[in-house]
Amino acid sequence: MSWLKLFSRFTSSAWKATPPSLRSFKPVQPSSPFSSSAIAGPSPVGLPPTTPGKEKPRLVVLGTGWAGCRLMKGIDTSLYDVVCISPRNHMVFTPLLASTCVGTLEFRSVAEPVGRIQPSISTAPGSYFYLARCKSIDSDNHTVECETVTDGTREDALKPWNFNVAYDKLVIGAGAEALTFGIEGVKEHAIFLREVHHAQEIRRKLLLNLMLSDVPGISVEEKKRLLHCVVVGGGPTGVEFSGELSDFIIKDVTERYTHVKDYIRVTLIEANEILSSFDVRLRQYATNQLTKSGVRLVRGIVKHVQPQSLILDDGTEVPFGLLVWSTGVGPSPFVKSLQFPKSPGGRIGVDEYLRVPSVPDVFSVGDCCGFLESTGRSVLPALAQVAERQGKFLAGQLNQIARAGGGYANCAGEIELGPPFHYRHLGSMATVGRYKALVDLRQSKEAKGLSLAGFVSWFVWRSAYLTRVISWRNRFYVAINWLTTLVFGRDISKI
């Protein structure tokens, strides 16, 4: 019992040593914003307008694509509070997304958290990241109305709620959506390749079909359908995915799925020429390499997509177990709903400084914007390098505006800006599998320039993209993934 006496002495001495003000302290349960009492009571309306002289001007960025993230990386946070609003909290390094579908790279290697790109949104008092979608923009009152993004697939998921955010400067970088050309069944039965969850779905379905086709009781016809991978769209994304898929079949499926290796095949459907923006010689090289790898090239137009097959314009029915749709991008419903001037093609119209005319303090960058016809400039292609260059340019413009005293709302009208935005194309690259790639360094289709194909181009392709990955953390991940795949093969676990 001696230990009980020692314990009682210790507790009594500790109580006496405690300050009287803390002896009556009782833990208070924090009020959850998702509790029933919090929802029933008044909820905050969002962020009110800033007060000049007391707060920094607020820059609101819609989207976490190439343009928005490059803008946030280059913005001077001593001049602005940054508020980012997006349905995803990361940027996707899209040039390497196709490699994640077959296990060449892991998904986290191509996803860069926004908090690493611009740390102030996680640490600064007036800067935030909101997981939400913008529903509307009130340019007269300098506010955006947003709706939270919740897990709507579960029955017990939170219901979305709305809030408003006032801005001094607004940058719309909401991106674009995949074009379906109004073809019936595409959205229901095809998988796009633009986000990490798309790559995850492709990888899950590909491995599932491989394993199901090896189970007793399945017919030969059904086995052929399950293992038929169809890619629609012969642009860089479609060609790179087809090359990665054929590489996966040659190197991994033949070793680990020997019972069904003779049934798996890849078909690439394109209405015109594959890689139409590349040099003619490179297009022919890509065609030859894909054909050698077992990819069947079909020229045709898809008219209708059914759950297990698609119909071409000549009436041919093409059964599939996996359908990947990669036919370019167009304006999203949100962009179409905005009452702003539009460029040819329906994008948000901007001037030479990426400003939205007649709307003060509103800018637009990336795939969702295009030059107005009045500027005399052609609409730029929806490429990552275009978006990145626009984000870098606009960050410099906004920093210049703030230093000149025009950071707050309706204060930048008389400020002189520097040279307008000018885009210079640096070239195009695409891999076709089997350690082969294409590098086209021409500034346009009509211009002359250096073009390469083969192993050297593949080395240039990998080196260039490895240096363009934003953080050293992800560069390390990508390099290790490539080395692991080279030594041990791809990870084909279905998790």
Side-chain angles (χ1 to χ4, degrees):
M1 300 296 289
S2 59
W3 63 274
L4 286 174
K5 294 179 181 180
L6 289 173
F7 179 76
S8 61
R9 287 179 187 175
F10 173 78
T11 52
S12 61
S13 61
W15 174 257
K16 291 176 182 178
T18 304
S21 60
L22 296 181
R23 291 181 185 176
S24 59
F25 174 80
K26 294 182 180 179
V28 179
Q29 295 295 330
S31 177
S32 170
F34 308 124
S35 62
S36 58
S37 59
I39 295 176
S43 58
V45 295
L47 295 180
T50 57
T51 304
K54 293 184 179 180
E55 301 171 284
K56 290 184 287 186
R58 181 181 300 134
L59 170 65
V60 174
V61 181
L62 304 180
T64 53
W66 280 83
C69 287
R70 184 60 184 87
L71 171 89
M72 289 188 286
K73 183 180 180 180
I75 207 72
D76 188 346
T77 53
S78 66
L79 302 173
Y80 290 99
D81 284 330
V82 180
V83 175
C84 179
I85 301 169
S86 175
R88 68 181 190 195
N89 70 341
H90 59 273
M91 171 192 161
V92 180
F93 193 81
T94 47
L96 296 178
L97 189 59
S99 299
T100 65
C101 300
V102 294
T104 306
L105 295 176
E106 287 303 317
F107 301 112
R108 65 177 180 176
S109 302
V110 300
E112 189 69 45
V114 181
R116 291 182 182 270
I117 298 173
Q118 180 47 263
S120 69
I121 65 172
S122 304
T123 57
S127 297
Y128 305 95
F129 171 80
Y130 294 142
L131 190 70
R133 288 187 178 90
C134 181
K135 295 179 62 181
S136 63
I137 298 173
D138 185 350
S139 56
D140 295 329
N141 296 314
H142 278 62
T143 59
V144 293
E145 182 185 0
C146 305
E147 181 182 71
T148 57
V149 174
T150 58
D151 187 6
T153 60
R154 294 169 54 93
E155 293 183 0
D156 58 346
L158 290 169
K159 293 184 178 179
W161 63 94
N162 297 336
F163 61 94
N164 294 330
V165 175
Y167 64 84
D168 292 297
K169 297 290 183 286
L170 174 66
V171 178
I172 305 172
E177 68 172 15
L179 285 175
T180 63
F181 305 101
I183 300 172
E184 185 181 353
V186 174
K187 291 184 178 180
E188 293 80 8
H189 309 302
I191 304 176
F192 306 105
L193 188 51
R194 294 184 52 78
E195 303 286 348
V196 172
H197 66 85
H198 293 152
Q200 291 173 326
E201 176 64 14
I202 291 171
R203 185 165 168 178
R204 183 199 67 80
K205 194 164 188 178
L206 176 63
L207 295 177
L208 178 64
N209 290 350
L210 275 167
M211 288 181 283
L212 287 179
S213 62
D214 211 12
V215 176
I218 188 170
S219 66
V220 173
E221 288 300 318
E222 181 66 6
K223 187 178 295 188
K224 289 180 178 179
R225 184 194 68 80
L226 280 176
L227 296 180
H228 188 198
C229 305
V230 177
V231 183
V232 179
T237 301
V239 169
E240 289 189 338
F241 176 71
S242 300
E244 288 280 355
L245 201 52
S246 65
D247 226 20
F248 169 66
I249 294 170
I250 294 171
K251 294 180 180 178
D252 298 272
V253 173
T254 53
E255 293 181 3
R256 307 182 194 186
Y257 292 95
T258 55
H259 300 104
V260 297
K261 63 182 177 63
D262 296 329
Y263 296 98
I264 188 167
R265 54 203 172 103
V266 182
T267 298
L268 175 60
I269 300 175
E270 168 57 40
N272 299 303
E273 294 282 344
I274 66 169
L275 301 174
S276 58
S277 62
F278 282 69
D279 181 74
V280 176
R281 185 177 64 87
L282 296 182
R283 291 205 301 266
Q284 187 59 48
Y285 180 87
T287 301
N288 295 338
Q289 286 299 317
L290 290 173
T291 304
K292 288 180 182 178
S293 301
V295 179
R296 179 178 170 230
L297 301 179
V298 174
R299 181 173 292 187
I301 300 174
V302 178
K303 289 298 183 181
H304 181 66
V305 178
Q306 300 171 342
Q308 297 181 354
S309 64
L310 58 84
I311 309 298
L312 297 179
D313 54 345
D314 61 357
T316 304
E317 183 175 359
V318 182
F320 62 82
L322 172 66
L323 176 61
V324 177
W325 195 270
S326 177
T327 58
V329 296
S332 65
F334 168 69
V335 169
K336 293 178 183 177
S337 69
L338 297 176
Q339 302 301 310
F340 294 156
K342 296 295 196 301
S343 70
R347 303 187 194 180
I348 300 172
V350 294
D351 63 10
E352 299 91 337
Y353 295 92
L354 306 181
R355 300 173 297 189
V356 179
S358 72
V359 185
D361 302 318
V362 178
F363 307 81
S364 185
V365 289
D367 296 349
C368 65
C369 76
F371 290 120
L372 291 165
E373 287 186 293
S374 58
T375 63
R377 299 189 178 192
S378 58
V379 177
L380 296 174
L383 299 175
Q385 60 176 296
V386 175
E388 183 183 28
R389 215 81 55 78
Q390 288 180 335
K392 181 180 180 180
F393 169 83
L394 188 55
Q397 291 290 315
L398 290 172
N399 290 338
Q400 180 182 342
I401 290 172
R403 293 190 186 101
Y408 293 100
N410 300 312
C411 293
E414 303 299 325
I415 295 177
E416 293 187 6
L417 301 177
F421 175 74
H422 176 71
Y423 171 69
R424 180 175 177 270
H425 188 60
L426 297 179
S428 304
M429 295 185 293
T431 179
V432 291
R434 301 180 68 181
Y435 304 109
K436 302 291 192 302
L438 315 174
V439 176
D440 190 350
L441 300 182
R442 298 176 305 157
Q443 293 189 24
S444 66
K445 294 178 67 174
E446 296 78 19
K448 295 182 179 180
L450 181 64
S451 58
L452 304 171
F455 177 79
V456 174
S457 300
W458 175 83
F459 183 78
V460 172
W461 174 83
R462 281 207 166 180
S463 301
Y465 282 148
L466 185 62
T467 58
R468 298 306 298 166
V469 173
I470 290 184
S471 69
W472 282 103
R473 164 183 170 270
N474 275 23
R475 290 175 193 169
F476 177 78
Y477 281 156
V478 170
I480 291 298
N481 287 165
W482 279 341
L483 179 61
T484 304
T485 300
L486 178 65
V487 177
F488 301 106
R490 294 171 176 83
D491 180 12
I492 57 173
S493 303
K494 182 181 177 297
I495 300 175

